[in-house]
Amino acid sequence: MLIPLRHADLVSTTKSLTSSSQSFSVYLLIVVNLTIFGWQLLAQHIYDISLIELGAVVPFDFLVSISGLKENAPRLIYALFLHDIRLEGRFLHLIGNMSYLLAFGPDLELRVGRLKFVLFYLLSGILSTVVHICFYPDSTTYLIGASGAVAGIMGAHLAVCRGTKIRTFLLVKVIPIPAAAILISWIGLQIVNAYLSPIQSSTAWGVHVSGFVVGLLMVQLSRTNQASHKTKEDKEYITNNYSSSPFSSSNTKFIEDEASAVFPLYPLAQPLRSITTKKQKRQKRNKKC
């Protein structure tokens, strides 16, 4: 039995902050899920109202008509906070999701920020459910739980938090294990279960797989956009600062050193650039000495 418990080394950029303040969004999501779970129990066993029937996602109902799509769209969010309340299941659905969120969420939240972490959580859950609906449009099984959202967090953790270790309960001992080893073995097991299980299975293994893949892809797209945006800003900065020079032309190369920044690139300024460059090198040698 392998149960991830918590990150072994939480990367901290601000020593004054405590671990609980760094993981605010993770704990907030856990509290919200537990509160709604208690609300489910109260409504079911006292008022005989099933919140699962009111908020669960049914793939067939989504695609039956355009009006059905509009009416059921809010359920994509509602279903993320509903869990199985059957006593015979011993609440393992909720316990499993929250334990994995607590294990992999704090380190990712520290790296991306609170707001982005919550948005990433919600988008992973919504998109993984949509992918499952597209693959199983005729399914009438209720889709509930935070499995897709948590799987997205795990996929993002694999891409962003490389080299980290997770304190894991293995057999009868708690030991630190590389997070990548846990995540790769977990997703491999989900793929096998998704392939072998029937379409009307009580567990939506496809949501786990699609959530994990969505998390990976969202991180890669975010990195690509940030890199392209940074490159564009650098080019705009250079163009705005040097295109107005009377000595610049379309064939002029980017100015890379301070001497070239002071003296424009034209032949008469070459002696001045050389003197400035020698002076800078001399100053650096003096500093080293």
Side-chain angles (χ1 to χ4, degrees):
M1 180 182 291
L2 188 148
I3 304 175
L5 301 176
R6 192 69 191 275
H7 49 81
D9 300 309
L10 183 62
V11 179
S12 177
T13 55
T14 307
K15 295 182 179 179
S16 60
L17 293 177
T18 62
S19 177
S20 59
S21 64
Q22 293 170 353
S23 308
F24 176 80
S25 297
V26 173
Y27 291 119
L28 176 62
L29 289 171
I30 292 176
V31 169
V32 171
N33 277 280
L34 292 176
T35 302
I36 295 178
F37 185 77
W39 188 18
Q40 283 183 254
L41 291 174
L42 181 67
Q44 181 70 43
H45 298 290
I46 296 181
Y47 299 103
D48 197 24
I49 298 175
S50 176
L51 295 182
I52 292 178
E53 294 181 0
L54 297 176
V57 172
V58 181
F60 180 78
D61 293 343
F62 260 79
L63 303 178
V64 68
S65 64
I66 299 298
S67 59
L69 178 63
K70 293 180 179 180
E71 293 176 0
N72 291 287
R75 293 186 176 219
L76 291 172
I77 296 180
Y78 300 158
L80 296 180
F81 299 96
L82 299 174
H83 288 84
D84 190 359
I85 60 173
R86 291 175 297 181
L87 296 177
E88 57 268 25
R90 299 180 182 178
F91 310 144
L92 292 179
H93 189 200
L94 175 69
I95 295 173
N97 283 335
M98 295 302 101
S99 63
Y100 274 82
L101 177 60
L102 184 60
F104 296 98
D107 198 10
L108 182 64
E109 179 188 349
L110 180 62
R111 295 171 187 263
V112 302
R114 295 176 181 176
L115 179 59
K116 288 184 178 179
F117 179 85
V118 174
L119 292 176
F120 193 91
Y121 177 91
L122 296 175
L123 282 175
S124 297
I126 292 172
L127 293 177
S128 62
T129 304
V130 171
V131 172
H132 183 83
I133 292 173
C134 294
F135 276 95
Y136 303 99
D138 297 329
S139 176
T140 57
T141 304
Y142 288 148
L143 294 179
I144 58 172
S147 301
V150 175
I153 297 298
M154 295 167 67
H157 190 283
L158 179 63
V160 176
C161 309
R162 298 177 181 177
T164 59
K165 292 185 177 181
I166 302 293
R167 294 179 59 83
T168 306
F169 180 79
L170 181 62
L171 299 179
V172 293
K173 188 177 180 180
V174 177
I175 59 175
I177 297 179
I182 300 175
L183 293 170
I184 292 174
S185 60
W186 181 86
I187 190 59
L189 180 62
Q190 307 309 305
I191 293 174
V192 172
N193 288 331
Y195 180 76
L196 297 178
S197 63
I199 296 178
Q200 297 296 334
S201 173
S202 59
T203 303
W205 302 107
V207 173
H208 300 180
V209 177
S210 58
F212 193 89
V213 174
V214 164
L216 281 172
L217 292 178
M218 288 177 63
V219 169
Q220 296 302 324
L221 290 174
S222 177
R223 286 176 173 175
T224 303
N225 291 335
Q226 289 179 357
S228 61
H229 183 66
K230 184 178 180 180
T231 302
K232 183 179 179 181
E233 285 184 344
D234 293 341
K235 289 183 178 180
E236 288 179 352
Y237 174 80
I238 294 172
T239 302
N240 293 336
N241 281 274
Y242 301 110
S243 61
S244 59
S245 173
F247 305 101
S248 62
S249 64
S250 58
N251 296 324
T252 302
K253 296 181 179 180
F254 291 150
I255 299 174
E256 298 178 353
D257 54 22
E258 295 178 7
S260 297
V262 176
F263 304 104
L265 297 177
Y266 64 103
L268 294 178
Q270 182 62 36
L272 298 177
R273 289 201 305 273
S274 301
I275 294 172
T276 305
T277 303
K278 292 179 180 179
K279 184 179 179 181
Q280 291 173 355
K281 291 181 179 180
R282 192 182 307 113
Q283 290 177 351
K284 289 181 180 180
R285 286 198 300 269
N286 295 335
K287 287 181 180 179
K288 291 180 180 179
C289 296

